[in-house]
Structures are given as C-alpha cells and as structure tokens.
Amino acid sequence: MEFNVMVSKKPATFIFNPGNYIELNQSKYYFVGVNIKEDSYADLTFESNDTSVAIYENGAVYGLSKGVAKITVRYAGSSQRCANETYMIVNVTAVETHLEAPEIMHCNVTDFIQIDATLKDQYGNTIIKNLQCTSNNESIARCEGQYVQGIAEGQAIITVTYMGGEQYLPCSVNVTVIVSTVRGKITVNQNVTAYVGDKFSLNATVNDPRGKLTYASSNPKVVSVDKGWIRAIAAGK
C-alpha cells in the first residue's frame, strides 16, 4: 500500500504586545514587543509608510509628527515556518499643554507688568513659546504682548493663551489683575529754624518717582517759597 505524505511549513503567527494599534504623541516613544509564536528570536523587518509620522527602531515606535502611519512587519520565513507579514497602525497626536499662572496680580496705574505665566506639557516639562494676552476690560488694563498696562483703578480679567502648533495643543488661563492708584507719601523735615534773610532748599521727597511736588507757604509775609527754595522774610511762623 502506498500513501502520500504532504509536509508543509508551520504558519508564522505574529504576536504583538500589547497590540497592533498604537496611539502616542510626538514627544514620546513606545516599546512594542513583536515576535513569531514559538519563535521569539525570529528575524523581523519593519517599514513605515510615512517616516515623517512614525518609525520603528530598536524595539520602539517613535512618534515624529501628527498623523497616522502604517508600519509593516515582515518575516522572511525559515526552514520550518512560512514567510508572513502584518502591520501596526500608529496614530500620532499632539502633546497636551497647560499654563501655570497666579490667580491674582497687582499693577499700578500707568505701570507695565509681565504676566507670570509658564507653559508646560502634560509631563511637566517647560516649553518656551510665544503667549498672547487679552483683557476683558481695556479701560482698566490693556495688553501688549505678554505685558499688561494699568489704565485706571479696578479689576480686569487677563486671558493668557497659547495658540498651539504642529506638536502642541492650545491652552489658556485667566489671571485677575487689580489696578491701583499710587498713594503718594511725602517725606520732609517739617521743623526748620531759620533767621530773617536765610534762603535754603526744603529737602522733600515723594515715594512715587513720577510724582511732582508743589510748594505753598501758609504765611507768605513770614516765609516765601519758590520751587522748593525757602526764604525767611520776617520773624514768625
């Protein structure tokens, strides 16, 4: 009796850990375990259909830019197993961001302050990007770039915004700016003894560098004053 024996190679079954669909953002890479069932040392090759979006290198998938890439996994086969190929889909997204800023800041009328806002990604890394500010009440405070100028006493909500980009998602934060008027304080030597005919300068200062002092005498017949210069005219107070 004769009979035929058909000998075939074993099929090559791919195993992915954790799976063949991967989602990651552009700042990260992801280790993916790919091998052939019952042959963890199989020689595999990897080819991305869009190397600008994602690549597979040294056991990890790297996200490079937003988009979707298909990475083909090929097994050339062996004396015991058939050749085979499969693929993994990589969806690369932008990185989430947030702004850290104080809830309240103070500013004097006509002064400029810089909004103390720091842009960070979802992993806590600081990102240096241009930020924009807008005011909900420009009669109180108005914005110039990331700077705010106090216009009048009151409060304004300043919205700090990062517009986002190819790699990072947009975000914003609100800061309440309280605008106050500078309360001037004059420091002066109030008790001065002078003799008739004396002329001297009154040493007076104000805590507001923009402030302008004016002088007036309560008794011009005894003391006259002209732009801070004092002249004793007659005995008296």
Side-chain angles (χ1 to χ4, degrees), residues 100-105 115-117 174-176:
E100 296 181 356
E103 293 183 5
I104 298 174
M105 294 186 70
I115 298 297
D116 186 19
N174 289 335
V175 178
T176 299

Side-chain angles (χ1 to χ4, degrees), residues 159-171:
T159 300
V160 185
T161 303
Y162 167 58
M163 301 302 294
E166 183 65 26
Q167 185 174 0
Y168 298 104
L169 294 174
C171 63

Side-chain angles (χ1 to χ4, degrees), residues 114-127:
Q114 184 175 11
I115 298 297
D116 186 19
T118 302
L119 178 65
K120 293 191 174 184
D121 66 17
Q122 65 194 76
Y123 309 103
N125 301 311
T126 299
I127 309 166

Side-chain angles (χ1 to χ4, degrees), residues 19-39:
N20 65 339
Y21 179 83
I22 302 165
E23 187 165 320
L24 73 163
N25 59 52
Q26 298 170 64
S27 69
K28 288 291 181 181
Y29 56 87
Y30 194 90
F31 283 107
V32 179
V34 185
N35 54 48
I36 299 298
K37 186 176 181 181
E38 299 178 356
D39 186 2

